[in-house]
Amino acid sequence: MSDGRAERIAEFVEPLRVEPGSRVDLERDFDPRYKSGMKKREGVELLRIGVSLLAEYQTRLAAQDTYGVVLCLQALDAGGKDGTIRHVMSGVNPQGVRVSSFKVPSAEELDHDYLWRYAQRLPARGEIAIFNRSHYEEVLVVRVHPEFLLRQHLPEHGPGRGVGDDIWDRRYREINRWERHLTDNGFKVVKVFLNLSKEEQRIRFLKRIDLPEKNWKFSAADVRERSRWDDYQKAFSEMLSATSTRWAPWYVVPADRKWFARICAAAVLAHTLMEIDPQYPDVSPEVRKDLLVAKRGLEQEAPAGAPSDPYAARHPSSEQAGPHGGKKRGKRKKRRKHG
């Protein structure tokens, strides 16, 4: 892009990206309180710009109707997934965005392979699908609670056995291949992990208990899961190491400061759309002729005293525009008056 926005955003999100093939240790490699030296008041304006960019590129994505985007959001409880979706997607056309929240799988879902229910919620071309939790639950929650595997009716013996010591490595490979398949077919997969510290999670849980308007968000089960903190950190670290690929990289977003996490998530999604760089489709000469015929008919219907085409003055057509797309200007300049 000529104004350098793409380059600046790419530079901003680079520290968040998990290098494919690297070995990740969350505690060592990513600080949940990182904020890139930014102040909160600066972040408000940056988020507004990011949301505006997303709206612009989402419109182009829908118009081109060639690519789709899958945004996977993962986090521990109280990580801020819902708020991130609400703020980052506030300016986009809701017709082009679908949010799916994946809870405990139903009996029907358990009767299929573990990726089936996620495949049902993939976007169409021109759409953005947001997975609030995603297929990565199958190597996170299910890994921390291996008893959940029993509900998936996996074969235990023979060449098609689904349970074994290598099940997690196999699922990593299967997920990578699935995401490669999606990418090769025009569906970009972008993955964001909201990295929350244990202390910040404790504070947010207390807030849900102390404030009556937030009581509905609290679940005692979330606190019980907190006792498995170290297990989840290990599962997240191994997941990031095994599944951050060139075609579908992970971005670890520091989530202790909600305002900064939202800026990062908006930047990552904007970066993805800018890489796709969707364009408005060109119309054929035949369609162009039909447009001009319709234009002349509409101009003739203008009431007396009204401009025949008020929009043309603000957005000149190619016949009216100069060599750089702007309206042709005369050589004479209006003289400024001096007092």
Side-chain angles (χ1 to χ4, degrees):
M1 296 180 62
S2 59
D3 62 2
R5 289 183 298 177
E7 292 79 6
R8 291 197 297 273
I9 288 179
E11 183 179 349
F12 179 79
V13 303
E14 183 58 29
L16 313 176
R17 180 174 172 268
V18 176
E19 183 67 25
S22 63
R23 193 69 187 169
V24 175
D25 182 312
L26 268 179
E27 185 176 359
R28 177 195 67 201
D29 298 330
F30 294 97
D31 179 6
R33 296 194 61 77
Y34 170 79
K35 62 185 182 74
S36 188
M38 188 180 298
K39 296 181 179 178
K40 187 173 181 178
R41 63 176 179 271
E42 300 170 332
V44 172
E45 177 63 14
L46 282 176
L47 181 59
R48 186 193 65 78
I49 294 171
V51 169
S52 176
L53 274 174
L54 289 179
E56 172 191 339
Y57 274 84
Q58 184 220 9
T59 301
R60 288 163 53 173
L61 186 79
Q64 189 181 56
D65 197 31
T66 301
Y67 296 93
V69 175
V70 184
L71 172 61
C72 301
L73 275 179
Q74 289 292 151
L76 286 170
D77 298 311
K81 298 184 302 299
D82 293 339
T84 296
I85 294 170
R86 186 170 62 252
H87 286 81
V88 170
M89 308 307 292
S90 61
V92 302
N93 185 341
Q95 288 184 322
V97 178
R98 187 189 340 176
V99 179
S100 298
S101 297
F102 293 99
K103 307 294 185 182
V104 176
S106 67
E108 179 187 16
E109 291 167 341
L110 289 170
D111 271 340
H112 293 81
D113 69 271
Y114 70 93
L115 290 174
W116 180 81
R117 67 170 178 158
Y118 306 102
Q120 307 308 302
R121 305 303 297 169
L122 289 171
R125 299 190 191 278
E127 291 183 346
I128 298 173
I130 300 176
F131 287 0
N132 185 343
R133 301 186 186 271
S134 69
H135 45 291
Y136 284 97
E137 293 291 283
E138 307 297 335
V139 292
L140 292 170
V141 175
V142 178
R143 182 166 188 174
V144 173
H145 294 277
E147 64 272 18
F148 292 169
L149 283 172
L150 298 176
R151 301 184 342 199
Q152 297 187 0
H153 311 301
L154 299 174
E156 297 184 9
H157 305 287
R161 68 185 180 91
V163 180
D165 294 338
D166 65 340
I167 185 171
W168 309 118
D169 289 335
R170 285 192 287 109
R171 286 197 170 184
Y172 293 147
R173 292 195 299 270
E174 290 160 359
I175 288 171
N176 287 342
R177 286 196 295 265
W178 186 57
E179 292 176 351
R180 182 60 185 264
H181 165 75
L182 293 174
T183 302
D184 287 347
N185 283 275
F187 296 91
K188 182 72 173 176
V189 181
V190 58
K191 302 175 298 195
V192 171
F193 169 55
L194 299 173
N195 186 27
L196 189 70
S197 70
K198 191 173 185 179
E199 173 60 11
E200 181 62 22
Q201 186 192 59
R202 184 184 74 87
I203 292 170
R204 292 183 187 182
F205 281 167
L206 287 171
K207 187 175 183 180
R208 291 179 178 184
I209 295 171
D210 293 339
L211 300 183
E213 67 272 19
K214 293 188 178 292
N215 288 168
W216 65 275
K217 285 187 172 184
F218 180 76
S219 169
D222 293 345
V223 177
R224 288 195 297 270
E225 284 298 282
R226 178 176 164 83
S227 67
R228 307 294 296 271
W229 180 271
D230 291 340
D231 295 331
Y232 274 107
Q233 292 298 295
K234 179 181 178 182
F236 274 116
S237 295
E238 294 195 10
M239 175 203 74
L240 294 169
S241 301
T243 61
S244 189
T245 59
R246 178 177 50 81
W247 55 89
W250 273 102
Y251 294 88
V252 178
V253 167
D256 276 16
R257 295 177 172 88
K258 291 181 179 180
W259 61 270
F260 188 71
R262 291 161 185 167
I263 293 169
C264 293
V268 168
L269 184 54
H271 174 62
T272 301
L273 290 171
M274 286 175 166
E275 284 190 320
I276 295 173
D277 195 22
Q279 301 295 317
Y280 292 111
D282 293 327
V283 298
S284 66
E286 291 74 17
V287 172
R288 172 61 61 185
K289 289 179 183 178
D290 292 341
L291 290 174
L292 293 176
V293 170
K295 175 183 171 69
R296 285 194 290 270
L298 291 169
E299 288 175 338
Q300 291 170 3
E301 294 179 15
S308 60
D309 187 352
Y311 201 69
R314 297 194 299 266
H315 298 271
S317 66
S318 58
E319 292 83 5
Q320 298 170 306
H324 301 291
K327 190 175 180 182
K328 290 183 179 179
R329 294 177 171 85
K331 293 183 178 179
R332 296 180 61 186
K333 294 182 179 179
K334 186 177 180 181
R335 292 184 179 180
R336 296 180 62 185
K337 294 182 179 180
H338 298 275

